[in-house]
Amino acid sequence: MNLGIDKYITMEINSIGCPACRPAYNEKLIEFFNKNIDNLCEDCVRRLGKNPMRILDCKNEGCKAVTKDAPVAIDNLCGECEEHFEGVKGYLDTLEVPYNVNPMMVRGLDYYVRTAFEMVTDKLGSQSAVGAGGRYDGLIKLLGGPDIPGIGFATGIDRMVALCMLNETEKENETDVFVVSFKDVSDKTAMKLVNGFRSAGIIADMDYDFKKMKKQFSLADKNGARFTIILGEDEMVKNTAAVKDMETGSQEEIDIDNIIKYISDKLRRN
Ligand SMILES: [Zn+2]
Ligand SMILES: [Zn+2]
């Protein structure tokens, strides 16, 4: 199923090395942070002994100022990890998946190796992760199973739902057809027509307040209508409608009985 929320999401990737190259990198980090220990928060001082990489994604402003200049994992990868990371980027390029390399993104747990990724959005207040994960080769072995590679991720269902709702709101501004009508002249015809369009799977709307024609036209515009159908007095007498193509500006007079088919055909061609 396609949720249609990928347009709100940026993919961030990083490589955090492997058991072969991480110990030396951790040493470098410990050396660096020891020199700046006075500027680290309490949590990070604790992390320094256990998992210095975690300091890199501390949200504390003081820590952030320090980590800006810290050595990053992608500059300290072993040959195999470097090759692996180039491979990951190459496959993403092939599949045309846009991504940013974020050298500051790390994972909290030891069993993660090499690729770490996060799907972030700036549509939900401050930039936040919608999902995050990485590669955890070795985890199954650690748990007593065979030595097989692994990958996993977690997503925030609440954040995904919030993005889906945002998507729905935006979709409301994509109307195929807007019907302009007038009270006691063509209101009933318009309602029938809008209903017919909707049954045919066409996104249709109208103004139920029957405001002045100009107002209705701006409503059609606001709704991003592809076609505007005008049901004026003259048209009603002839059982026709004026159909305006909002992209080209051209206008045609169409028999009301044929109008749903006419619009369906037009939309299919577009
Ligand atoms: Zn490595
Ligand atoms: Zn900190």
Side-chain angles (χ1 to χ4, degrees):
M1 189 174 75
N2 188 347
L3 296 178
I5 59 174
D6 49 328
K7 60 188 171 203
Y8 304 128
I9 287 170
T10 310
M11 170 89 118
E12 301 208 323
I13 60 165
N14 193 21
S15 176
I16 52 173
C18 71
C21 53
R22 202 179 297 151
Y25 171 55
N26 273 344
E27 284 307 313
K28 268 197 192 178
L29 276 180
I30 291 167
E31 196 189 318
F32 173 84
F33 284 123
N34 264 326
K35 277 189 228 152
N36 299 282
I37 198 159
D38 295 340
N39 299 315
L40 296 180
C41 73
E42 251 175 65
D43 285 337
C44 284
V45 172
R46 199 167 32 80
R47 285 170 185 145
L48 191 51
K50 285 201 311 198
N51 191 351
M53 220 160 49
R54 284 297 308 279
I55 301 175
L56 294 177
D57 71 350
C58 180
K59 302 288 177 267
N60 180 293
E61 289 303 323
C63 298
K64 272 202 218 164
V66 175
T67 53
K68 221 168 62 272
D69 304 312
V72 292
I74 46 171
D75 292 338
N76 292 278
L77 299 176
C78 64
E80 275 176 44
C81 283
E82 206 165 288
E83 202 180 300
H84 183 266
F85 194 46
E86 287 310 308
V88 170
K89 289 190 283 184
Y91 290 135
L92 289 173
D93 290 338
T94 303
L95 295 172
E96 293 175 14
V97 176
Y99 60 88
N100 295 322
V101 174
N102 178 359
M104 292 299 175
M105 188 231 303
V106 296
R107 294 270 79 93
L109 300 160
D110 280 344
Y111 53 73
Y112 279 96
V113 289
R114 294 184 174 160
T115 315
F117 59 88
E118 266 181 32
M119 291 154 280
V120 297
T121 182
D122 58 3
K123 296 289 175 202
L124 304 174
S126 62
Q127 190 165 80
S128 55
V130 179
R135 204 180 167 89
Y136 29 72
D137 305 349
L139 175 65
I140 300 299
K141 195 180 171 197
L142 198 76
L143 297 172
D147 190 8
I148 51 169
I151 181 182
F153 62 92
T155 55
I157 299 289
D158 53 335
R159 290 175 186 181
M160 288 214 288
V161 169
L163 289 181
C164 286
M165 284 162 72
L166 191 66
N167 201 23
E168 286 306 309
T169 317
E170 281 183 7
K171 266 197 209 149
E172 274 173 27
N173 294 329
E174 284 171 26
T175 309
D176 294 323
V177 179
F178 191 93
V179 181
V180 173
S181 62
F182 305 93
K183 185 85 188 150
D184 300 326
V185 175
S186 51
D187 49 349
K188 291 198 175 98
T189 309
M191 280 185 186
K192 262 182 84 175
L193 213 48
V194 166
N195 212 26
F197 279 128
R198 289 176 180 166
S199 300
I202 295 166
I203 305 170
D205 214 343
M206 61 183 282
D207 172 27
Y208 296 95
D209 289 334
F210 309 101
K211 292 186 204 75
K212 290 213 172 77
M213 183 138 120
K214 221 178 139 187
K215 278 256 167 84
Q216 291 196 41
F217 261 103
S218 60
L219 259 178
D221 248 348
K222 217 175 117 191
N223 283 282
R226 178 72 182 78
F227 295 95
T228 301
I229 292 171
I230 305 129
L231 302 174
E233 265 179 62
D234 290 352
E235 285 89 7
M236 284 296 95
V237 173
K238 292 185 277 178
N239 196 40
T240 61
V243 178
K244 189 174 181 192
D245 184 323
M246 302 294 270
E247 259 172 34
T248 63
S250 66
Q251 197 165 310
E252 274 185 90
E253 196 169 326
I254 307 293
D255 204 278
I256 286 189
D257 300 328
N258 296 330
I259 208 158
I260 294 179
K261 189 182 178 311
Y262 174 85
I263 295 288
S264 308
D265 289 348
K266 281 266 183 187
L267 288 170
R268 209 164 297 141
R269 215 171 300 148
N270 282 304

Coordinates of all heavy atoms in Angstrom, one line a residue, residues 159-245:
R159 N 3.1 9.4 14.1 CA 3.7 10.4 13.1 C 3.3 10.1 11.7 O 3.1 10.9 10.9 CB 5.2 10.4 13.3 CG 5.6 11.0 14.6 CD 7.1 11.0 14.8 NE 7.4 11.5 16.2 CZ 8.6 11.6 16.7 NH1 9.6 11.2 16.0 NH2 8.8 12.0 17.9
M160 N 3.2 8.8 11.4 CA 2.8 8.4 10.0 C 1.4 8.8 9.8 O 1.0 9.3 8.7 CB 3.0 6.9 9.8 CG 4.5 6.5 9.7 SD 4.7 5.1 8.6 CE 4.0 3.8 9.5
V161 N 0.5 8.6 10.8 CA -0.9 8.9 10.7 C -1.0 10.5 10.5 O -1.8 10.9 9.6 CB -1.7 8.5 11.9 CG1 -3.1 9.1 11.9 CG2 -1.8 6.9 11.9
A162 N -0.2 11.2 11.2 CA -0.2 12.7 11.1 C 0.1 13.1 9.7 O -0.5 14.0 9.1 CB 0.7 13.3 12.1
L163 N 1.1 12.4 9.1 CA 1.5 12.8 7.7 C 0.4 12.3 6.7 O 0.2 13.0 5.7 CB 2.8 12.1 7.4 CG 4.1 12.7 8.0 CD1 5.3 11.9 7.6 CD2 4.2 14.1 7.8
C164 N -0.2 11.2 7.0 CA -1.3 10.8 6.1 C -2.4 11.8 6.1 O -3.0 12.1 5.1 CB -1.9 9.4 6.5 SG -0.8 8.0 6.2
M165 N -2.7 12.3 7.3 CA -3.8 13.3 7.4 C -3.4 14.6 6.7 O -4.3 15.2 6.0 CB -4.1 13.6 8.9 CG -4.9 12.5 9.5 SD -4.9 12.5 11.3 CE -5.9 13.9 11.7
L166 N -2.2 15.0 6.8 CA -1.7 16.1 6.0 C -1.9 15.9 4.5 O -2.3 16.8 3.8 CB -0.2 16.3 6.4 CG 0.5 17.6 5.9 CD1 -0.1 18.8 6.7 CD2 2.0 17.5 6.2
N167 N -1.6 14.7 4.1 CA -1.8 14.4 2.7 C -3.2 14.5 2.3 O -3.5 15.0 1.2 CB -1.3 12.9 2.5 CG -0.9 12.6 1.0 OD1 -0.6 13.5 0.3 ND2 -1.0 11.4 0.7
E168 N -4.1 14.0 3.1 CA -5.6 14.1 2.8 C -6.0 15.6 2.7 O -6.8 16.0 1.8 CB -6.4 13.4 3.9 CG -6.3 11.9 3.8 CD -6.7 11.4 2.4 OE1 -7.8 11.7 1.9 OE2 -5.9 10.6 1.9
T169 N -5.5 16.4 3.6 CA -5.9 17.9 3.5 C -5.4 18.5 2.2 O -6.1 19.3 1.6 CB -5.2 18.6 4.7 OG1 -5.3 17.8 5.9 CG2 -5.8 19.9 5.0
E170 N -4.2 18.1 1.8 CA -3.7 18.7 0.6 C -4.5 18.2 -0.6 O -4.7 18.9 -1.6 CB -2.2 18.4 0.4 CG -1.4 19.2 1.3 CD 0.1 19.0 1.1 OE1 0.5 18.2 0.2 OE2 0.9 19.6 1.9
K171 N -5.0 17.0 -0.5 CA -5.7 16.4 -1.6 C -7.1 17.1 -1.8 O -7.6 17.1 -2.9 CB -6.0 14.9 -1.4 CG -5.0 14.0 -2.0 CD -5.6 12.6 -2.0 CE -4.5 11.6 -2.0 NZ -4.9 10.4 -1.3
E172 N -7.6 17.7 -0.8 CA -8.9 18.4 -0.9 C -8.8 19.6 -1.9 O -9.7 20.0 -2.4 CB -9.3 19.0 0.4 CG -10.0 18.0 1.3 CD -10.3 18.6 2.7 OE1 -10.3 19.8 2.8 OE2 -10.4 17.7 3.6
N173 N -7.6 20.0 -2.2 CA -7.4 21.1 -3.1 C -7.1 20.6 -4.5 O -6.5 21.2 -5.4 CB -6.2 22.0 -2.7 CG -6.6 22.7 -1.4 OD1 -7.8 23.0 -1.2 ND2 -5.6 23.0 -0.6
E174 N -7.5 19.3 -4.8 CA -7.3 18.8 -6.1 C -8.7 18.3 -6.6 O -9.0 17.2 -6.6 CB -6.4 17.6 -6.1 CG -5.0 18.0 -6.0 CD -4.1 16.7 -5.7 OE1 -4.5 15.6 -6.1 OE2 -3.0 16.9 -5.1
T175 N -9.5 19.3 -7.1 CA -10.8 19.0 -7.6 C -10.7 18.8 -9.1 O -10.1 19.6 -9.8 CB -11.8 20.2 -7.2 OG1 -11.6 20.4 -5.9 CG2 -13.2 19.8 -7.6
D176 N -11.4 17.8 -9.6 CA -11.5 17.6 -11.1 C -12.4 18.6 -11.7 O -12.1 19.3 -12.7 CB -11.9 16.2 -11.4 CG -10.9 15.1 -11.0 OD1 -9.7 15.4 -11.1 OD2 -11.4 14.1 -10.6
V177 N -13.6 18.7 -11.1 CA -14.7 19.6 -11.7 C -15.3 20.4 -10.6 O -15.6 20.0 -9.5 CB -15.8 18.6 -12.2 CG1 -16.9 19.4 -12.8 CG2 -15.2 17.7 -13.3
F178 N -15.5 21.7 -10.9 CA -16.3 22.6 -10.0 C -17.5 23.0 -10.8 O -17.4 23.6 -11.9 CB -15.4 23.7 -9.5 CG -16.1 24.5 -8.4 CD1 -15.8 24.2 -7.1 CD2 -17.0 25.5 -8.7 CE1 -16.5 24.9 -6.1 CE2 -17.7 26.2 -7.7 CZ -17.4 25.9 -6.3
V179 N -18.7 22.9 -10.2 CA -19.9 23.2 -10.9 C -20.4 24.6 -10.4 O -20.7 24.7 -9.2 CB -21.0 22.1 -10.8 CG1 -22.3 22.5 -11.5 CG2 -20.5 20.8 -11.2
V180 N -20.5 25.5 -11.3 CA -21.0 26.9 -10.9 C -22.5 26.9 -11.2 O -22.9 26.6 -12.4 CB -20.3 28.0 -11.7 CG1 -21.0 29.3 -11.5 CG2 -18.8 28.0 -11.4
S181 N -23.3 27.2 -10.2 CA -24.8 27.1 -10.4 C -25.5 28.3 -9.7 O -24.8 29.0 -8.9 CB -25.4 25.8 -10.0 OG -25.1 25.6 -8.6
F182 N -26.8 28.4 -9.9 CA -27.5 29.6 -9.3 C -28.8 29.1 -8.7 O -29.5 28.2 -9.2 CB -27.8 30.6 -10.4 CG -26.5 31.0 -11.1 CD1 -26.1 30.4 -12.3 CD2 -25.7 32.0 -10.5 CE1 -24.9 30.7 -12.9 CE2 -24.5 32.3 -11.1 CZ -24.0 31.7 -12.3
K183 N -29.1 29.7 -7.5 CA -30.2 29.3 -6.7 C -31.5 29.4 -7.6 O -31.7 30.4 -8.3 CB -30.3 30.2 -5.5 CG -31.4 29.8 -4.5 CD -30.9 28.7 -3.6 CE -32.1 28.2 -2.7 NZ -32.0 26.8 -2.4
D184 N -32.4 28.5 -7.5 CA -33.7 28.5 -8.2 C -33.5 28.5 -9.8 O -34.5 28.6 -10.5 CB -34.6 29.6 -7.8 CG -34.9 29.6 -6.3 OD1 -35.0 28.4 -5.8 OD2 -35.0 30.6 -5.7
V185 N -32.3 28.4 -10.3 CA -32.1 28.3 -11.7 C -31.5 26.9 -12.0 O -32.1 26.1 -12.8 CB -31.2 29.4 -12.2 CG1 -30.9 29.2 -13.7 CG2 -31.7 30.8 -11.9
S186 N -30.4 26.6 -11.4 CA -29.7 25.4 -11.7 C -29.2 24.7 -10.5 O -28.3 23.8 -10.6 CB -28.6 25.7 -12.7 OG -27.8 26.8 -12.2
D187 N -29.7 25.0 -9.3 CA -29.1 24.4 -8.1 C -29.3 22.9 -8.1 O -28.4 22.1 -7.8 CB -29.7 25.1 -6.9 CG -31.2 25.2 -6.9 OD1 -31.8 25.0 -8.0 OD2 -31.8 25.5 -5.8
K188 N -30.5 22.5 -8.5 CA -30.8 21.0 -8.4 C -30.1 20.3 -9.5 O -29.5 19.2 -9.3 CB -32.3 20.8 -8.6 CG -33.1 21.3 -7.4 CD -34.5 20.7 -7.4 CE -35.2 21.1 -6.1 NZ -36.1 22.3 -6.3
T189 N -30.0 20.9 -10.7 CA -29.2 20.3 -11.8 C -27.7 20.1 -11.3 O -27.1 19.0 -11.6 CB -29.2 21.1 -13.1 OG1 -30.6 21.4 -13.3 CG2 -28.6 20.4 -14.2
A190 N -27.2 21.1 -10.7 CA -25.8 21.1 -10.2 C -25.6 20.0 -9.2 O -24.7 19.2 -9.3 CB -25.4 22.4 -9.6
M191 N -26.6 19.8 -8.2 CA -26.4 18.8 -7.2 C -26.5 17.4 -7.9 O -25.7 16.5 -7.5 CB -27.6 18.9 -6.2 CG -27.3 20.0 -5.2 SD -28.6 20.0 -3.9 CE -28.1 21.4 -3.0
K192 N -27.4 17.2 -8.8 CA -27.4 15.9 -9.5 C -26.1 15.6 -10.2 O -25.6 14.5 -10.2 CB -28.6 15.9 -10.5 CG -29.9 15.3 -10.0 CD -31.0 15.3 -11.0 CE -30.9 14.1 -11.9 NZ -32.1 14.0 -12.8
L193 N -25.6 16.7 -10.9 CA -24.4 16.5 -11.7 C -23.2 16.2 -10.8 O -22.4 15.3 -11.1 CB -24.2 17.9 -12.4 CG -23.5 17.8 -13.8 CD1 -24.2 16.8 -14.7 CD2 -23.6 19.2 -14.4
V194 N -23.1 16.9 -9.7 CA -22.0 16.7 -8.7 C -22.0 15.2 -8.2 O -21.0 14.5 -8.2 CB -22.0 17.7 -7.6 CG1 -21.0 17.2 -6.4 CG2 -21.5 19.1 -8.1
N195 N -23.3 14.8 -7.9 CA -23.5 13.4 -7.4 C -23.1 12.4 -8.5 O -22.4 11.4 -8.2 CB -25.0 13.3 -7.1 CG -25.2 12.3 -6.0 OD1 -24.3 12.1 -5.1 ND2 -26.3 11.7 -5.9
G196 N -23.5 12.7 -9.7 CA -23.1 11.8 -10.9 C -21.6 11.7 -11.1 O -21.1 10.7 -11.3
F197 N -21.0 12.9 -11.0 CA -19.5 12.9 -11.2 C -18.8 12.0 -10.1 O -18.0 11.2 -10.4 CB -18.9 14.3 -11.0 CG -19.1 15.1 -12.3 CD1 -19.7 16.4 -12.3 CD2 -18.6 14.6 -13.5 CE1 -19.8 17.2 -13.5 CE2 -18.7 15.4 -14.7 CZ -19.3 16.6 -14.6
R198 N -19.3 12.2 -8.9 CA -18.7 11.5 -7.8 C -18.9 10.0 -7.9 O -18.0 9.2 -7.7 CB -19.2 12.0 -6.4 CG -18.7 13.3 -6.1 CD -19.4 13.9 -4.8 NE -18.9 15.2 -4.5 CZ -19.4 16.0 -3.6 NH1 -20.5 15.6 -2.9 NH2 -18.9 17.2 -3.4
S199 N -20.1 9.6 -8.4 CA -20.3 8.2 -8.6 C -19.4 7.6 -9.7 O -19.1 6.4 -9.7 CB -21.8 7.9 -9.1 OG -22.7 8.4 -8.1
A200 N -19.0 8.5 -10.6 CA -18.1 8.1 -11.7 C -16.6 8.2 -11.3 O -15.7 8.0 -12.1 CB -18.4 8.9 -12.9
G201 N -16.4 8.5 -10.0 CA -15.0 8.5 -9.5 C -14.3 9.8 -9.8 O -13.1 9.9 -9.8
I202 N -15.1 10.8 -10.2 CA -14.5 12.1 -10.5 C -14.7 13.1 -9.3 O -15.8 13.1 -8.6 CB -15.2 12.7 -11.7 CG1 -14.9 11.9 -12.9 CG2 -14.8 14.2 -11.9 CD1 -15.8 12.2 -14.1
I203 N -13.6 13.8 -8.9 CA -13.7 14.6 -7.7 C -14.4 15.9 -8.1 O -13.9 16.7 -8.9 CB -12.3 14.9 -7.1 CG1 -11.5 13.6 -6.8 CG2 -12.4 15.8 -5.9 CD1 -10.1 13.8 -6.5
A204 N -15.6 16.1 -7.6 CA -16.5 17.2 -8.0 C -16.9 18.0 -6.8 O -17.1 17.4 -5.7 CB -17.7 16.7 -8.8
D205 N -17.1 19.3 -7.0 CA -17.6 20.1 -5.9 C -18.4 21.3 -6.5 O -18.4 21.5 -7.7 CB -16.5 20.6 -5.0 CG -16.9 20.7 -3.6 OD1 -18.1 20.7 -3.3 OD2 -16.0 20.8 -2.7
M206 N -19.2 21.9 -5.6 CA -20.0 23.1 -6.0 C -20.1 24.0 -4.8 O -19.7 23.7 -3.7 CB -21.4 22.6 -6.5 CG -22.2 21.9 -5.4 SD -23.8 21.3 -6.0 CE -24.7 22.8 -6.0
D207 N -20.7 25.2 -5.0 CA -20.9 26.1 -3.9 C -22.4 26.0 -3.5 O -23.3 26.4 -4.2 CB -20.6 27.5 -4.4 CG -21.0 28.6 -3.4 OD1 -21.0 28.3 -2.2 OD2 -21.3 29.7 -3.8
Y208 N -22.5 25.5 -2.2 CA -23.9 25.3 -1.7 C -24.5 26.6 -1.2 O -25.7 26.7 -0.8 CB -23.9 24.2 -0.7 CG -23.5 22.9 -1.2 CD1 -22.2 22.4 -1.1 CD2 -24.4 22.1 -1.8 CE1 -21.8 21.2 -1.6 CE2 -24.1 20.8 -2.4 CZ -22.8 20.4 -2.3 OH -22.4 19.2 -2.8
D209 N -23.8 27.7 -1.2 CA -24.3 29.0 -0.8 C -24.7 29.8 -2.1 O -25.3 30.9 -1.9 CB -23.2 29.8 -0.1 CG -23.0 29.3 1.3 OD1 -23.9 28.6 1.9 OD2 -21.9 29.4 1.8
F210 N -24.4 29.3 -3.2 CA -24.8 29.9 -4.5 C -24.4 31.4 -4.5 O -25.2 32.3 -4.7 CB -26.3 29.7 -4.8 CG -26.7 28.3 -4.7 CD1 -27.3 27.8 -3.6 CD2 -26.3 27.4 -5.7 CE1 -27.7 26.4 -3.5 CE2 -26.7 26.0 -5.6 CZ -27.3 25.5 -4.5
K211 N -23.1 31.7 -4.2 CA -22.7 33.0 -4.2 C -22.6 33.6 -5.7 O -22.9 32.9 -6.6 CB -21.3 33.1 -3.6 CG -21.2 32.8 -2.1 CD -19.8 33.0 -1.6 CE -19.6 32.2 -0.3 NZ -19.3 30.7 -0.6
K212 N -22.2 34.8 -5.8 CA -22.1 35.4 -7.1 C -21.1 34.6 -8.0 O -20.2 34.0 -7.5 CB -21.6 36.9 -7.0 CG -22.7 37.8 -6.4 CD -22.6 39.2 -7.0 CE -23.7 40.1 -6.5 NZ -23.5 40.6 -5.2
M213 N -21.4 34.7 -9.3 CA -20.5 33.9 -10.2 C -19.0 34.1 -10.0 O -18.3 33.1 -10.0 CB -20.9 34.3 -11.7 CG -20.2 33.5 -12.7 SD -21.2 33.0 -14.0 CE -20.4 33.7 -15.4
K214 N -18.6 35.4 -9.8 CA -17.2 35.7 -9.7 C -16.6 34.9 -8.4 O -15.5 34.4 -8.5 CB -17.0 37.2 -9.5 CG -15.8 37.7 -10.2 CD -15.8 39.2 -10.1 CE -14.3 39.6 -9.9 NZ -14.2 41.0 -9.5
K215 N -17.4 34.9 -7.3 CA -17.0 34.3 -6.1 C -16.9 32.8 -6.3 O -15.9 32.1 -5.9 CB -18.1 34.5 -5.0 CG -17.9 35.8 -4.3 CD -17.3 35.6 -2.9 CE -16.8 36.9 -2.3 NZ -17.8 37.6 -1.6
Q216 N -17.8 32.2 -7.1 CA -17.8 30.8 -7.4 C -16.6 30.4 -8.2 O -16.0 29.4 -8.0 CB -19.1 30.3 -8.1 CG -20.3 30.4 -7.1 CD -21.5 29.6 -7.7 OE1 -21.3 28.5 -8.2 NE2 -22.7 30.2 -7.5
F217 N -16.2 31.3 -9.1 CA -15.1 31.1 -9.9 C -13.8 31.1 -9.1 O -12.9 30.2 -9.3 CB -14.9 32.1 -11.1 CG -15.4 31.6 -12.4 CD1 -16.7 31.9 -12.9 CD2 -14.7 30.6 -13.1 CE1 -17.2 31.4 -14.1 CE2 -15.1 30.1 -14.3 CZ -16.4 30.5 -14.8
S218 N -13.7 32.0 -8.1 CA -12.5 32.0 -7.3 C -12.5 30.7 -6.4 O -11.4 30.2 -6.1 CB -12.4 33.3 -6.5 OG -13.4 33.5 -5.7
L219 N -13.7 30.2 -6.0 CA -13.7 29.0 -5.3 C -13.2 27.8 -6.1 O -12.4 27.0 -5.6 CB -15.2 28.7 -4.9 CG -15.6 29.0 -3.5 CD1 -17.1 28.6 -3.3 CD2 -14.8 28.2 -2.4
A220 N -13.6 27.8 -7.4 CA -13.1 26.8 -8.3 C -11.6 26.8 -8.4 O -10.9 25.8 -8.3 CB -13.7 27.0 -9.7
D221 N -11.1 28.0 -8.5 CA -9.6 28.2 -8.5 C -8.9 27.7 -7.3 O -7.9 27.0 -7.3 CB -9.3 29.7 -8.6 CG -8.7 30.1 -10.0 OD1 -8.4 29.1 -10.7 OD2 -8.7 31.3 -10.3
K222 N -9.5 28.1 -6.1 CA -9.0 27.8 -4.8 C -8.9 26.2 -4.7 O -8.0 25.7 -4.0 CB -9.8 28.4 -3.7 CG -9.0 28.8 -2.5 CD -9.9 29.6 -1.5 CE -9.9 28.8 -0.2 NZ -10.9 29.3 0.7
N223 N -9.9 25.6 -5.2 CA -10.0 24.1 -5.1 C -9.1 23.4 -6.2 O -9.1 22.2 -6.2 CB -11.4 23.7 -5.2 CG -12.2 23.9 -4.0 OD1 -12.1 23.1 -3.0 ND2 -13.0 25.0 -3.9
G224 N -8.5 24.2 -7.0 CA -7.6 23.6 -8.0 C -8.4 22.9 -9.1 O -7.9 21.8 -9.6
A225 N -9.6 23.3 -9.4 CA -10.4 22.6 -10.4 C -9.8 22.6 -11.7 O -9.2 23.5 -12.2 CB -11.8 23.3 -10.5
R226 N -9.9 21.4 -12.3 CA -9.3 21.2 -13.7 C -10.3 21.8 -14.7 O -10.0 22.4 -15.7 CB -9.1 19.7 -13.9 CG -8.5 19.3 -15.2 CD -7.1 19.7 -15.4 NE -6.7 19.3 -16.7 CZ -7.0 19.9 -17.8 NH1 -7.7 21.0 -17.8 NH2 -6.5 19.5 -19.0
F227 N -11.6 21.5 -14.4 CA -12.7 22.0 -15.3 C -13.7 22.8 -14.4 O -14.0 22.3 -13.3 CB -13.4 20.9 -16.0 CG -12.5 20.2 -17.0 CD1 -11.8 19.0 -16.6 CD2 -12.3 20.7 -18.3 CE1 -11.0 18.4 -17.5 CE2 -11.5 20.0 -19.2 CZ -10.8 18.9 -18.8
T228 N -14.2 23.9 -15.0 CA -15.4 24.5 -14.3 C -16.6 24.4 -15.3 O -16.5 24.7 -16.4 CB -15.0 26.0 -14.0 OG1 -13.9 26.0 -13.2 CG2 -16.2 26.7 -13.3
I229 N -17.7 24.0 -14.7 CA -18.9 23.8 -15.5 C -19.9 24.9 -15.1 O -20.2 25.0 -13.9 CB -19.5 22.4 -15.3 CG1 -18.5 21.4 -15.9 CG2 -20.9 22.3 -15.9 CD1 -18.9 20.0 -15.6
I230 N -20.4 25.7 -16.0 CA -21.3 26.8 -15.7 C -22.7 26.4 -16.1 O -22.9 26.1 -17.3 CB -20.8 28.1 -16.3 CG1 -19.4 28.4 -15.9 CG2 -21.7 29.3 -15.9 CD1 -18.4 28.7 -17.0
L231 N -23.6 26.5 -15.2 CA -25.0 26.2 -15.5 C -25.8 27.5 -15.3 O -26.4 27.7 -14.3 CB -25.5 25.1 -14.5 CG -24.8 23.8 -14.5 CD1 -25.4 22.9 -13.4 CD2 -25.0 23.0 -15.8
G232 N -25.8 28.3 -16.3 CA -26.5 29.6 -16.3 C -27.9 29.4 -16.9 O -28.3 28.3 -17.3
E233 N -28.6 30.5 -16.9 CA -30.0 30.5 -17.4 C -30.1 30.0 -18.8 O -30.9 29.2 -19.2 CB -30.7 31.9 -17.2 CG -31.4 32.0 -15.9 CD -32.1 33.4 -15.7 OE1 -32.9 33.8 -16.6 OE2 -31.7 34.1 -14.8
D234 N -29.3 30.6 -19.7 CA -29.3 30.3 -21.1 C -29.1 28.8 -21.3 O -29.7 28.1 -22.1 CB -28.2 31.0 -21.9 CG -28.6 32.5 -22.0 OD1 -29.7 32.9 -21.6 OD2 -27.7 33.3 -22.4
E235 N -28.1 28.3 -20.6 CA -27.7 26.9 -20.7 C -28.8 26.0 -20.3 O -29.1 25.0 -20.9 CB -26.4 26.6 -19.9 CG -25.1 27.1 -20.5 CD -24.8 28.5 -20.1 OE1 -25.5 29.0 -19.2 OE2 -23.8 29.0 -20.6
M236 N -29.5 26.4 -19.2 CA -30.6 25.5 -18.6 C -31.7 25.4 -19.7 O -32.3 24.3 -19.8 CB -31.1 26.1 -17.3 CG -30.2 25.9 -16.1 SD -30.0 24.2 -15.7 CE -28.6 23.8 -16.5
V237 N -32.0 26.5 -20.4 CA -33.0 26.4 -21.4 C -32.7 25.4 -22.5 O -33.5 24.6 -23.0 CB -33.2 27.8 -22.1 CG1 -34.2 27.7 -23.2 CG2 -33.8 28.8 -21.0
K238 N -31.4 25.3 -22.8 CA -31.0 24.4 -23.9 C -30.6 23.0 -23.4 O -30.1 22.2 -24.1 CB -29.8 25.0 -24.7 CG -30.2 26.3 -25.4 CD -29.0 26.8 -26.2 CE -28.1 27.7 -25.3 NZ -26.9 28.1 -26.1
N239 N -30.6 22.8 -22.0 CA -30.1 21.6 -21.4 C -28.7 21.4 -21.7 O -28.2 20.2 -22.0 CB -31.0 20.4 -21.8 CG -30.8 19.2 -20.8 OD1 -30.7 19.4 -19.6 ND2 -30.7 18.0 -21.4
T240 N -27.9 22.4 -21.7 CA -26.5 22.3 -21.9 C -25.7 22.9 -20.7 O -26.3 23.5 -19.8 CB -26.0 23.0 -23.2 OG1 -26.3 24.4 -23.0 CG2 -26.7 22.5 -24.4
A241 N -24.4 22.8 -20.8 CA -23.5 23.5 -19.8 C -22.3 24.0 -20.5 O -21.8 23.5 -21.5 CB -23.1 22.5 -18.7
A242 N -21.8 25.1 -20.0 CA -20.5 25.7 -20.6 C -19.4 25.0 -19.7 O -19.4 25.1 -18.5 CB -20.5 27.2 -20.4
V243 N -18.5 24.4 -20.4 CA -17.4 23.7 -19.8 C -16.1 24.4 -20.0 O -15.7 24.6 -21.2 CB -17.2 22.2 -20.3 CG1 -16.0 21.6 -19.6 CG2 -18.5 21.4 -20.0
K244 N -15.5 25.0 -19.0 CA -14.3 25.7 -19.2 C -13.1 24.9 -18.7 O -13.0 24.4 -17.6 CB -14.3 27.0 -18.3 CG -13.2 27.9 -18.7 CD -13.3 29.3 -18.0 CE -12.1 30.1 -18.4 NZ -12.0 31.3 -17.6
D245 N -12.1 24.7 -19.6 CA -10.9 24.0 -19.3 C -10.0 25.1 -18.6 O -9.6 26.0 -19.2 CB -10.2 23.6 -20.6 CG -9.0 22.8 -20.4 OD1 -8.2 23.1 -19.4 OD2 -8.7 21.8 -21.1

